[in-house]
Amino acid sequence: MKITGRTDVYGIFGYPVKHSLSPLMQTAAFEAAGIDAVYVPFQVSPENLEKAVDGLKAMGIRGINVTVPLKEKIIHFLDFIDETAEFMGAVNTVKNVDGKLYGYNTDGDGFVDSLKEERIEVGGKKVLIIGAGGSAKAIAYSLLRNGVEKIVIANRTFEKAESLAGRLSKIEMVEAVSLDYLNSVVDKFDILINTTSVGMKESDPSLFDYSLIKPDTVVVDIIYKPFETELLKVAKSKGAKTINGLGMLIHQGARAFKILTDMESSVEVMKDALLEGLDGRNI
Ligand code: ATR
């Protein structure tokens, strides 16, 4: 890569940011598209976020991705946000257009794209989402916009599931259940999605009795490290189709790339870059 006076600057704001795979993935996409740009990590503490956003404008940085814990707070410093980011109260992509900052959230649509890539049609499906945090909100919102028939949200803290279901019910009826009910309802869904961090560690207990999963259920875990969580392992052994979180990571990035550059990205190139990066971390 040759950096000149004309090279555009993009990046990611996070705290910490050093574990982010976005620089690897987006740099590969820029190179493949022949765009004269660099994509760099910026470690920005929440206290410094406003100054960093001012700096972004002052220095003409063309756009950034935003990761934890800044996705909510950054909204205060943007000029416009789209409908999806507004509903989510969180932004993961900011585009600088002539000094005005536009915020978007590509997480939910990236998730739906990752299912489409696996030829899973979500329209008319009954979906169980485990977890009621930011990821669950993004995923549920996009699933509803893509015509799912029903969503049930199960969460350890039932009140959080209830509150999220209440917000989503402005779009379509969504129900909440407690995690304790999972064993008795799990066979009633076409798609089951884990959005919690349970399964990242080998010692994690199961969220429910995974052996109750039916072969015709699609089971998705948004975790990608490890590639195959215990949930996915057992689901696969039961004959179910399983999908890990790599696709969501790639497709939220691909959508961000399109917003920031107005060009299509190469999903294959992004995937290869990610796999190489994850491999280097001994996954
Ligand atoms: P994210 O943005 O990735 O969704 P989050 O907003 O912190 O992260 O949400 C984490 C979700 O994982 C929550 O639904 C949380 O349940 P609680 O609302 O009860 O905290 C869920 N979660 C985390 N650890 C869990 C565990 N050990 N068992 C069950 N659920 C867990």
Side-chain angles (χ1 to χ4, degrees):
M1 170 189 292
K2 202 189 262 176
I3 298 178
T4 71
R6 290 195 181 81
T7 304
D8 285 328
V9 179
Y10 294 84
I12 178 163
F13 284 8
Y15 191 76
V17 79
K18 66 175 175 229
H19 303 292
S20 173
L21 291 163
S22 293
L24 206 57
M25 179 168 75
Q26 299 293 359
T27 297
F30 278 123
E31 274 173 18
I35 299 173
D36 182 9
V38 290
Y39 184 103
V40 287
F42 294 106
Q43 166 116 336
V44 178
S45 68
E47 305 80 70
N48 283 330
L49 183 59
E50 185 168 11
K51 279 189 250 163
V53 172
D54 281 343
L56 186 162
K57 287 199 221 183
M59 292 189 287
I61 291 172
R62 298 287 302 267
I64 51 157
N65 287 120
V66 186
T67 187
V68 278
L70 310 170
K71 287 180 171 188
E72 293 84 14
K73 190 170 184 191
I74 200 163
I75 289 182
H76 301 298
F77 312 122
L78 304 181
D79 297 294
F80 307 96
I81 56 170
D82 80 347
E83 203 188 329
T84 308
E86 168 127 34
F87 180 86
M88 289 181 200
V91 155
N92 76 342
T93 305
V94 176
K95 184 173 186 172
N96 181 358
V97 184
D98 302 326
K100 294 271 183 245
L101 300 183
Y102 293 73
Y104 306 85
N105 193 316
T106 65
D107 287 332
D109 286 346
F111 175 85
V112 172
D113 287 347
S114 76
L115 296 199
K116 284 188 185 151
E117 190 184 13
E118 297 285 337
R119 290 182 292 281
I120 308 296
E121 198 33 74
V122 299
K125 298 287 167 63
K126 296 187 180 68
V127 182
L128 173 66
I129 297 179
I130 307 175
S135 305
K137 192 198 280 185
I139 288 169
Y141 180 77
S142 290
L143 286 172
L144 288 171
R145 306 257 298 208
N146 280 274
V148 291
E149 188 195 307
K150 176 181 180 152
I151 292 182
V152 171
I153 296 168
N155 197 44
R156 175 176 64 180
T157 312
F158 176 69
E159 294 71 28
K160 272 172 76 182
E162 231 180 0
S163 145
L164 178 56
R167 290 198 59 202
L168 290 160
S169 289
K170 292 186 183 123
I171 311 170
E172 196 69 55
M173 194 56 204
V174 177
E175 286 169 30
V177 296
S178 155
L179 270 192
D180 310 331
Y181 284 102
L182 278 184
N183 284 348
S184 50
V185 298
V186 72
D187 61 344
K188 298 187 173 38
F189 297 91
D190 305 302
I191 304 175
L192 186 161
I193 305 160
N194 175 39
T195 72
T196 76
S197 51
V198 176
M200 287 180 88
K201 290 194 275 275
E202 253 186 59
S203 56
D204 281 343
S206 300
L207 289 156
F208 64 96
D209 181 358
Y210 299 155
S211 70
L212 296 169
I213 292 170
K214 295 182 303 169
D216 57 353
T217 312
V218 175
V219 181
V220 193
D221 201 323
I222 68 164
I223 294 170
Y224 52 85
K225 197 180 169 189
F227 266 179
E228 198 173 54
T229 56
E230 186 63 17
L231 166 66
L232 294 190
K233 254 185 224 158
V234 179
K236 195 193 260 179
S237 77
K238 289 277 150 189
K241 173 154 181 74
T242 59
I243 299 173
N244 72 12
L246 199 65
M248 179 179 178
L249 179 64
I250 295 167
H251 285 281
Q252 62 78 28
R255 281 187 175 258
F257 181 94
K258 175 135 197 231
I259 288 169
L260 295 179
T261 65
D262 295 314
M263 285 174 73
E264 292 294 336
S265 63
S266 166
V267 168
E268 273 313 305
V269 164
M270 293 170 101
K271 186 175 187 173
D272 288 346
L274 272 185
L275 287 174
E276 209 177 298
L278 286 167
D279 200 35
R281 293 177 188 187
N282 289 323
I283 184 167

